[in-house]
């Protein structure tokens, strides 16, 4: 079996769905499992639905808007869109019904039950369209296969149950299912974290002992820099699992951090290719591949926060103090992307995904003097050279740290 993954950008409209069909006919689709994300910006819109729901705002208006967008797309694809339009309407009616009867105040739980609709609808539309043009396939509900705990929005995979379920799939045919989603022991929907569709594909590849996995993107492969922020980005033809994991850890946007670990365990070749030019080689990630070409790799993370904690009494930042700080960071689910300490101070570059930074700072003010600089940039440069740090001017630089081949700079936005 092969595993293909298509992101939201590749299926954002009717032309994108047709292109997926053309791509499959071009590269072949025998014995393939396809993982698909929600279409375009659907996830963002459904997140807005959840936000409106908890603010007692008119969430149904937003639901109707995204429903009509999907029905309009289906109308472009099908000569008779009645059946698929009914399927689409049913999914959105289920969201409204759930929100009307829901009693849970748990934001993350409600989020997962609503946002999952994007992937379920996109895969239904694509599966039905491919069947209509004789690309015969079977639609699967991924929640029957990927099993997690009940950590909503960040479901942790139960590998034993998941592998048992997925391994029962036939090793022939064409299957289409959803990325990003799973379910807990009570069959409530869970999600695997933003951009988790890549991870879903890796889970299927691992459990199916796939021959290969390919992520189809709107870029030619893995680049040494994001062309939105850096000039003269170069295609990386080959990289090792280890290098790819390092890039993912530091925030490279092409590869999800959790994606590579299952693939590496079974040494499954992994490709990142362009859905616009599917015959091009793209990037191959495999065991022992040297970085080709050997060039600096630039990663930029925005919306970071630089926090400096200093002892009020000039005492050392010792292990007990560090333990207390990091326990609070864990409690508030704040990610540390860089740390640097001296005898009496600790600097942290933080990512505040769940908007808990203010609570953390209040707690820290009890014991430390706190300096805060919000909305900073974090540059990470792998395999840096003498010219790499020119991406940041000296006037904007706030902090730098070098560890072997990796240079990190925190700078003003």
């Amino acid at each position: 079996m092969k595993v293909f993954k298509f992101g939201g950008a590749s299926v954002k409209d009717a032309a994108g769905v047709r292109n997926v069909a053309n791509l499959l006919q071009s590269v072949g689709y025998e014995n393939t499992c396809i993982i698909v994300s929600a279409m375009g910006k659907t996830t963002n819109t459904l997140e807005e639905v959840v936000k409106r729901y908890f603010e007692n705002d008119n969430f149904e208006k937003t639901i109707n808007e995204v429903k009509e967008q999907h029905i309009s797309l289906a109308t472009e694809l099908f000569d008779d869109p009645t059946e698929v339009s009914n399927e689409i309407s049913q999914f959105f009616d289920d969201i409204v019904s759930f929100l009307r009867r829901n009693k849970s105040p748990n934001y993350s739980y409600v989020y997962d039950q609503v946002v999952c609709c994007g992937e379920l609808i996109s895969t239904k539309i694509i599966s039905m369209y491919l069947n209509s043009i004789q690309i015969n396939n079977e639609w699967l509900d991924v929640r029957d296969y990927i099993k997690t705990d009940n950590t909503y929005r960040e479901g942790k995979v139960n590998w034993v149950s998941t592998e048992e379920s997925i391994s029962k799939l036939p090793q022939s045919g064409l299957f289409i299912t959803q990325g990003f989603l799973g379910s807990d022991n009570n069959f409530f929907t869970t999600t695997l974290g933003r951009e988790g569709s890549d991870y879903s594909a890796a889970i299927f590849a691992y459990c199916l002992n796939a021959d290969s996995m390919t992520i189809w993107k709107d870029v030619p492969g893995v680049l040494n820099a994001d062309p939105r922020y850096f000039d003269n980005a170069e295609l990386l033809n080959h990289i090792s699992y280890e290098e790819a994991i390092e890039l993912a850890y530091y925030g490279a946007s092409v590869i999800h951090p959790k994606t590579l670990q299952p693939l590496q365990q079974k040494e499954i070749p992994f490709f990142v290719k362009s859905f616009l030019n599917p015959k091009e080689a793209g990037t191959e990630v495999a065991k022992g591949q040297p970085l080709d070409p050997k060039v600096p790799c630039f990663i930029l993370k925005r919306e970071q926060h630089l926090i400096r904690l200093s002892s009020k009494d000039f005492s050392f930042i010792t292990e007990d103090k560090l333990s207390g700080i990091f326990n609070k960071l864990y409690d508030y689910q704040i990610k540390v992307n860089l740390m640097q300490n001296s005898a009496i101070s600790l600097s942290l570059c933080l990512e505040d995904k769940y908007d808990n930074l203010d609570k953390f700072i209040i707690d820290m003010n009890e014991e430390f003097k706190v300096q805060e600089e919000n909305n900073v940039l974090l540059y990470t440069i792998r395999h840096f050279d003498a010219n790499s740090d020119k991406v940041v001017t000296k006037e904007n630089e706030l902090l730098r740290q070098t560890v072997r081949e990796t240079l990190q700079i925190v700078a003003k936005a």
Side-chain angles (χ1 to χ4, degrees), residues 82-135:
T82 304
E83 183 181 0
V84 69
S85 295
N86 289 339
E87 290 269 7
I88 292 168
S89 295
Q90 185 62 58
F91 279 119
F92 285 106
D93 290 346
D94 287 346
I95 292 181
V96 174
S97 177
F98 165 75
L99 291 174
R100 285 177 177 170
R101 70 177 186 274
N102 173 64
K103 302 298 182 184
S104 174
N106 185 333
Y107 192 101
S108 294
Y109 164 75
V110 174
Y111 176 100
D112 282 2
Q113 311 319 303
V114 171
V115 169
C116 68
C117 189
E119 278 74 16
L120 293 167
I121 291 171
S122 69
T123 51
K124 261 301 179 187
I125 292 172
I126 292 164
S127 175
M128 295 175 73
Y129 175 70
L130 293 178
N131 278 324
S132 76
I133 60 171
Q134 281 71 57
I135 299 180

Side-chain angles (χ1 to χ4, degrees), residues 5 7 194-199 215-219 221-230 233 236 239 243-260 270 272 297-302 335 378 380:
K5 184 264 175 174
R194 286 303 301 266
E195 309 302 328
S197 291
D198 291 0
Y199 186 38
I215 294 179
W216 298 97
K217 290 273 191 179
D218 57 355
V219 291
V222 178
L223 305 177
N224 75 319
D226 190 329
R228 294 174 297 176
Y229 309 126
F230 300 94
L236 302 176
I239 52 178
E243 183 64 37
I245 287 171
E246 291 286 349
L247 293 173
Y249 172 79
Y250 288 114
S253 59
V254 172
I255 305 170
H256 190 277
K258 295 181 290 189
T259 298
L260 292 151
F270 166 42
V272 180
C297 297
F298 297 85
I299 301 162
L300 172 62
K301 299 194 82 166
R302 295 175 171 271
K335 182 181 179 184
L378 174 61
T380 301

Side-chain angles (χ1 to χ4, degrees), residues 30-67:
E30 295 79 10
N31 308 329
T32 302
C33 182
I34 297 177
I35 313 297
V36 186
S37 300
M39 293 176 160
K41 300 296 183 181
T42 300
T43 299
N44 294 20
T45 307
L46 293 174
E47 287 177 335
E48 181 65 24
V49 168
V50 179
K51 180 173 178 288
R52 287 175 176 269
Y53 169 76
F54 277 96
E55 292 174 349
N56 295 314
D57 202 349
N58 183 8
F59 64 85
E60 291 191 42
K61 179 175 181 290
T62 307
I63 290 175
N64 286 329
E65 288 172 356
V66 70
K67 177 174 78 172

Side-chain angles (χ1 to χ4, degrees), residues 166-330:
I166 293 176
S167 63
K168 292 177 182 176
L169 286 171
Q171 288 290 313
S172 61
L174 176 63
F175 303 97
I176 295 180
T177 193
Q178 306 79 40
F180 185 48
L181 310 181
S183 69
D184 63 17
N185 287 336
N186 294 313
F187 289 91
F188 291 121
T189 304
T190 57
T191 58
L192 306 179
R194 286 303 301 266
E195 309 302 328
S197 291
D198 291 0
Y199 186 38
S200 302
I203 293 168
F204 270 86
Y206 177 92
C207 295
L208 291 168
N209 294 308
D211 298 322
S212 66
M213 173 178 142
T214 303
I215 294 179
W216 298 97
K217 290 273 191 179
D218 57 355
V219 291
V222 178
L223 305 177
N224 75 319
D226 190 329
R228 294 174 297 176
Y229 309 126
F230 300 94
D231 296 329
N232 304 315
E234 294 184 55
L235 175 67
L236 302 176
N237 302 309
H238 301 282
I239 52 178
S240 66
Y241 291 117
E242 292 80 3
E243 183 64 37
I245 287 171
E246 291 286 349
L247 293 173
Y249 172 79
Y250 288 114
S253 59
V254 172
I255 305 170
H256 190 277
K258 295 181 290 189
T259 298
L260 292 151
Q261 293 165 345
L263 301 174
Q264 183 187 29
Q265 287 182 38
K266 291 192 175 179
E267 299 183 5
I268 297 169
F270 166 42
F271 299 89
V272 180
K273 296 186 177 186
S274 168
F275 62 73
L276 301 174
N277 299 291
K279 291 291 190 178
E280 292 183 358
T283 300
E284 180 184 10
V285 183
K287 181 181 179 181
Q289 290 280 11
L291 183 66
D292 175 30
K294 183 73 179 288
V295 292
C297 297
F298 297 85
I299 301 162
L300 172 62
K301 299 194 82 166
R302 295 175 171 271
E303 298 179 1
Q304 305 290 293
H305 305 273
L306 183 62
I307 307 298
R308 186 172 185 266
L309 307 176
S310 304
S311 301
K312 289 182 177 180
D313 59 358
F314 291 95
S315 61
F316 290 162
I317 303 289
T318 50
E319 287 80 1
D320 59 327
K321 289 186 171 63
L322 288 171
S323 175
I325 293 166
F326 278 87
N327 281 335
K328 286 295 182 181
L329 289 166
Y330 176 82

Side-chain angles (χ1 to χ4, degrees), residues 305-310 345-348 361 365 368-374:
H305 305 273
L306 183 62
I307 307 298
R308 186 172 185 266
L309 307 176
S310 304
S345 70
L346 175 67
S347 297
L348 299 167
I361 289 174
N365 273 319
F368 302 97
K369 290 185 288 186
V370 182
Q371 294 174 281
E372 178 182 3
E373 181 122 20
N374 293 309

